[in-house]
Amino acid sequence: MSGPRIGVLALQGDVREHLAALNEAGAEPVSVRRREELDAVEALLIPGGESTAISHLLRELELADPLRARLADGMPAYGSCAGMILLASDIIDAGVQGRAAIPLSGIDMTVRRNAFGRQVNSFEGAVDFDGLDEPVHAVFIRAPWVERIGPGVRVLAEAAGHPVAVRQGRVLATSFHPEVTGDRRIHRLFVDIVRDCA
Ligand code: GLN
């Protein structure tokens, strides 16, 4: 049985790590940089990196509107860190006007960008994750947190008193970076969500 064809938005950030992690989790991952590539995938993973840089490229490549339309149409998605920011419906501290991070509205939530502070404040630790028996070793790098969730949104994990993993239907987001650890449980959860939709 071949795995679901899942795209990794490959504009900036830790693309390679997510391609490898999805592969290990049983999917058939492909890079997405162009409109035709987006049209050809069943689901999309938006990696961590810098949300303003990714947004700038989304504008340049005219991918923001098609991506928002696919999300509105029910495409499964997973965003990690910068990807969580982009999947939000509202972003606090989104960046300077014209260069700000774009809210693609995959999840009805307000996210605060760089909530945990700057790079020096990056940290890691064990976080309980709803549905997983053992905690996840979560790595936070200039991470966002969630400040508001809409009625259909489930909180899967919290840190520092804020949600850091959430799910609304087919869309999943984490503030932390599972791709930098060997643990593939979050990627497998996403692959299962995609399989269930097929
Ligand atoms: N602070 C970054 C941003 O605003 C996110 C950091 C990350 O993805 N590791 O996009």
Side-chain angles (χ1 to χ4, degrees):
M1 189 181 83
S2 67
R5 201 172 152 81
I6 299 181
V8 175
L9 188 65
L11 303 181
Q12 190 266 340
D14 44 2
V15 173
R16 233 181 8 178
E17 293 82 352
H18 280 290
L19 288 168
L22 282 173
N23 191 43
E24 286 168 29
E28 256 183 65
V30 290
S31 298
V32 168
R33 283 189 204 85
R34 292 178 303 131
R35 173 71 192 267
E36 308 82 77
E37 291 166 339
L38 176 63
D39 292 343
V41 294
E42 285 174 56
L44 188 72
L45 186 154
I46 306 178
E50 175 49 55
S51 55
T52 55
I54 297 171
S55 295
H56 174 66
L57 292 165
L58 284 174
R59 285 189 200 92
E60 291 280 299
L61 298 166
E62 298 183 352
L63 275 175
D65 289 338
L67 186 41
R68 193 180 277 117
R70 288 252 6 227
L71 288 166
D73 198 39
M75 174 180 70
Y78 167 43
S80 157
C81 203
M84 170 189 255
I85 296 169
L86 296 172
L87 285 175
S89 49
D90 294 286
I91 304 167
I92 300 171
D93 286 343
V96 295
Q97 228 198 343
R99 299 232 141 217
I102 302 173
L104 297 169
S105 296
I107 295 179
D108 178 12
M109 64 175 171
T110 303
V111 162
R112 180 178 292 278
R113 195 168 147 254
N114 297 331
F116 287 97
R118 304 230 146 254
Q119 193 77 40
V120 285
N121 294 331
S122 296
F123 67 99
E124 42 193 280
V127 166
D128 288 327
F129 196 100
D130 193 28
L132 298 181
D133 291 341
E134 299 291 326
V136 167
H137 182 76
V139 177
F140 297 90
I141 306 166
R142 290 183 303 121
W145 67 39
V146 179
E147 293 219 346
R148 177 201 62 88
I149 53 167
V153 181
R154 223 170 82 206
V155 174
L156 302 177
E158 288 185 327
H162 289 272
V164 292
V166 292
R167 175 176 174 182
Q168 183 174 23
R170 304 164 169 187
V171 184
L172 179 70
T174 64
S175 308
F176 52 87
H177 289 265
E179 76 284 3
V180 301
T181 70
D183 186 350
R184 296 297 169 243
R185 288 176 296 168
I186 309 275
H187 287 83
R188 279 206 297 270
L189 169 64
F190 179 45
V191 173
D192 286 344
I193 292 172
V194 178
R195 279 216 176 92
D196 287 347
C197 295

